[in-house]
Amino acid sequence: MNETKARAEDPKQGKIEPGSQDTSLKAAPTRRASGRKKVVIVGGGFGGLYAAKSLAGKEVDVILIDKKNHHTFQPLLYQVATTVLSPGQIASPLRTVLTHADNVEVLLDELVGIDLEQRHVCLAKGDVISYDYLVLAAGARHSYFGHDEWEEFAPGIKTLEDAIHVRRQILLAFERAEREAFLKEGDDNLSFAVVGGGPTGVEIAGAIADIANRVVAPDFKTIDTRKTRVMLFEAAPRILGMFPEDLSQKAKVQLEQLKVEVLTDSPVETLEAGRIKVKGEWIPVRVIVWATGVSASPIGKMLGIEVDKAGRVPVQPDLTLKDRSEVFVIGDMSSLKDTAGVQVPGLAAAAIQEGAYTAKNILADLAGEARRPFTYKDKGTLATIGRNRAVALFGKVELSGFAAWLLWALVHIYLLIGFRNRLTVMREWIWSYITGERSARLITGNDV
Ligand SMILES: Cc1cc2nc3c(=O)[nH]c(=O)nc-3n(C[C@H](O)[C@H](O)[C@H](O)COP(=O)(O)OP(=O)(O)OC[C@H]3O[C@@H](n4cnc5c(N)ncnc54)[C@H](O)[C@@H]3O)c2cc1C
């Protein structure tokens, strides 16, 4: 049994340890070998999927490898975590999205090794696949700044499983408070902490407040969920640091209208089950949601080059590795200042542009044309704050309140993958807007 095979059968496998993989294996020929150039894409997130879509129907063979069978629309994950949407409404099977792309094969597997010299990748199920071009688009997770042990008590939201876990924690918090108050006349403390005042933290804090103030309030007979305490902790002096100061101030005001306590200059010192320590004080909380820090895919460290503090791979202006023009690293995994000197942000829009751009450059190579350096086109930044409220920045144009929220909703419907998803999300939002009901208020799992 080879080493990659052994790792696949190890129940603890899933974490890639740089250098531990055996890459000295021979690549097996793939079934549909056509003699055309072979492009292997790792990751079916925004970068990888848009690269694959842009290569669909072209004179290349593409293999898209992902450890999940679906593409997740991460900007709406928080809506799954806060009971607005169901998982199936924000995710699409990769195979379905690429059903008409005859030259694109999808493999459900995990990359565990790369041999840059031999030009092949090793997969967790033990197979080895060769490439002419490799596109690495395996994304990032949250960083706990050296305290990975916090993850157990303060989950982040990066995958559908994470979102369902957080949804469960939020709904259980209300159930437990009701039970304790009803049976014991005891502790009905309902406090939630959200760590990180970027767009995700702001969105989650606003959405939890909305659930407490409006959605579940009529259904609980003993506790008053409107007294729920939602605290948003941000280490910096203001939330939404990427927005101009006046917009971040407006976001703060809108959060406070929802009764969210915005605590800036408040780095979290430590945390454990049921409490969080900030400025030397332990604060009891039922749920902590983590929404800060970036830790790029461990695949970056396999490449044998120096990565930045967040594990991102520095790339050339054409998004390739230095001296490896056949290896592209895109999306949240990579770090680049583009031709205009702009640090490309870790956003879906950037990953999409990089995916499409990479495909163009591969096709340019095949046509014997010159590659072009990547330039990021900033299409604006949005952050929503509960129902009806948002802030938006488009170049010099700033919006806040209902107009920004409407724009946010339209942009997200437009960007969602799949017509069915667009339709069902729109229907769900309209229904929830009119009735205040949430269709995904389910606690799944056994231990209550
Ligand atoms: C909660 C949340 C909210 C966000 N909101 C916004 C927003 O409002 N606007 C915005 O522009 N951006 C937003 N982002 C950021 C945006 O989602 C990311 O920048 C974008 O997803 C990056 O795309 P990517 O292709 O690099 O990686 P991803 O989209 O993360 O995709 C990575 C893919 O690689 C796969 N993968 C990972 N490791 C392996 C492996 N070893 N083998 C095989 N497959 C692997 C994963 O399963 C995944 O499908 C948000 C992110 C989060 C988490």
Side-chain angles (χ1 to χ4, degrees):
M1 189 187 293
N2 64 46
E3 192 184 345
T4 44
K5 186 85 176 167
R7 282 168 47 76
E9 287 168 11
D10 176 357
K12 284 194 222 132
Q13 80 92 28
K15 289 231 157 90
I16 300 166
E17 280 160 35
S20 67
Q21 63 283 348
D22 176 3
T23 56
S24 63
L25 306 161
K26 285 270 169 293
T30 44
R31 223 176 146 74
R32 290 204 275 156
S34 61
R36 299 189 297 197
K37 294 285 182 196
K38 191 171 4 162
V39 182
V40 170
I41 301 174
V42 180
F46 285 102
L49 183 59
Y50 276 80
K53 285 173 83 168
S54 308
L55 291 171
K58 307 292 184 200
E59 288 298 312
V60 282
D61 288 328
V62 180
I63 301 176
L64 174 64
I65 301 163
D66 201 300
K67 58 184 178 179
K68 307 271 180 200
N69 83 329
H70 51 267
H71 167 84
T72 305
F73 191 82
Q74 291 175 13
L76 289 180
L77 271 174
Y78 88 95
Q79 294 226 336
V80 173
T82 55
T83 78
V84 182
L85 297 173
S86 302
Q89 291 173 314
I90 66 154
S92 303
L94 287 165
R95 222 168 263 295
T96 310
V97 180
L98 295 162
T99 191
H100 299 298
D102 288 340
N103 63 326
V104 183
E105 177 60 282
V106 178
L107 292 185
L108 177 64
D109 212 327
E110 180 176 359
L111 180 133
V112 292
I114 303 172
D115 189 326
L116 294 174
E117 291 304 323
Q118 298 297 318
R119 297 192 181 185
H120 65 223
V121 293
C122 303
L123 304 183
K125 293 196 174 72
D127 300 294
V128 177
I129 302 206
S130 64
Y131 61 80
D132 296 300
Y133 290 98
L134 177 62
V135 182
L136 296 172
R141 278 195 69 81
H142 296 297
S143 157
Y144 286 82
F145 308 114
H147 291 281
D148 289 352
E149 71 278 9
W150 292 354
E151 184 166 13
E152 184 185 349
F153 312 113
I157 306 177
K158 188 71 190 171
T159 62
L160 285 180
E161 290 84 355
D162 296 338
I164 293 166
H165 176 65
V166 169
R167 179 179 77 186
R168 182 180 156 73
Q169 300 300 314
I170 293 172
L171 292 176
L172 275 179
F174 291 111
E175 292 299 335
R176 287 177 179 152
E178 175 84 353
R179 189 175 187 284
E180 284 161 25
F182 179 67
L183 294 180
K184 302 179 194 155
E185 290 184 2
D187 176 21
D188 65 352
N189 161 40
L190 254 179
S191 298
F192 293 81
V194 178
V195 182
T200 304
V202 165
E203 286 170 352
I204 294 171
I208 295 175
D210 198 33
I211 294 179
N213 294 336
R214 215 171 44 83
V215 178
V216 298
D219 301 343
F220 283 87
K221 308 285 159 50
T222 307
I223 55 169
D224 183 354
T225 64
R226 287 165 302 188
K227 291 187 182 151
T228 297
R229 196 171 174 205
V230 183
M231 289 162 280
L232 176 63
F233 295 104
E234 167 56 51
R238 64 186 176 96
I239 56 167
L240 297 180
M242 71 291 289
F243 285 85
E245 206 157 339
D246 58 326
L247 270 189
S248 78
Q249 180 57 26
K250 282 181 183 158
K252 180 171 182 274
V253 169
Q254 293 178 69
L255 280 167
E256 286 168 349
Q257 285 165 354
L258 287 168
K259 295 189 272 183
V260 174
E261 295 168 42
V262 180
L263 301 150
T264 48
D265 286 314
S266 301
V268 170
E269 285 153 19
T270 186
L271 57 84
E272 52 191 44
R275 58 186 197 150
I276 187 165
K277 193 174 182 189
V278 179
K279 292 186 175 167
E281 186 198 344
W282 278 107
I283 304 167
V285 281
R286 290 222 180 224
V287 178
I288 308 170
V289 184
W290 194 262
T292 186
V294 178
S295 174
S297 162
I299 290 175
K301 293 191 184 135
M302 288 178 173
L303 297 169
I305 57 167
E306 205 172 320
V307 293
D308 72 7
K309 267 202 268 174
R312 284 177 299 223
V313 177
V315 288
Q316 304 300 299
D318 65 352
L319 303 175
T320 57
L321 289 184
K322 193 161 186 279
D323 303 326
R324 291 266 169 212
S325 62
E326 74 284 6
V327 181
F328 294 82
V329 187
I330 63 174
D332 284 3
M333 265 192 80
S334 65
S335 165
L336 173 73
K337 265 200 181 137
D338 75 2
T339 44
V342 175
Q343 179 69 41
V344 181
L347 288 175
I352 289 171
Q353 289 173 31
E354 291 184 348
Y357 163 89
T358 295
K360 260 193 202 156
N361 267 349
I362 291 173
L363 295 173
D365 274 9
L366 301 183
E369 292 162 9
R371 289 184 181 182
R372 289 207 185 141
F374 176 74
T375 307
Y376 172 62
K377 291 187 191 71
D378 184 355
K379 298 207 170 146
T381 318
L382 293 144
T384 174
I385 307 153
R387 199 171 86 123
N388 286 352
R389 299 172 175 87
V391 287
L393 179 67
F394 296 94
K396 291 200 170 122
V397 181
E398 296 179 8
L399 284 175
S400 87
F402 183 73
W405 178 79
L406 202 60
L407 198 69
W408 171 89
L410 292 173
V411 167
H412 283 74
I413 290 285
Y414 172 73
L415 289 176
L416 259 173
I417 304 285
F419 181 68
R420 191 184 64 87
N421 282 354
R422 287 191 194 123
L423 212 64
T424 60
V425 167
M426 209 150 59
R427 189 193 61 200
E428 202 64 63
W429 282 352
I430 293 169
W431 179 255
S432 158
Y433 192 85
I434 297 169
T435 65
E437 284 175 22
R438 300 280 172 92
S439 66
R441 259 177 67 186
L442 304 179
I443 300 173
T444 49
N446 292 328
D447 54 319
V448 292

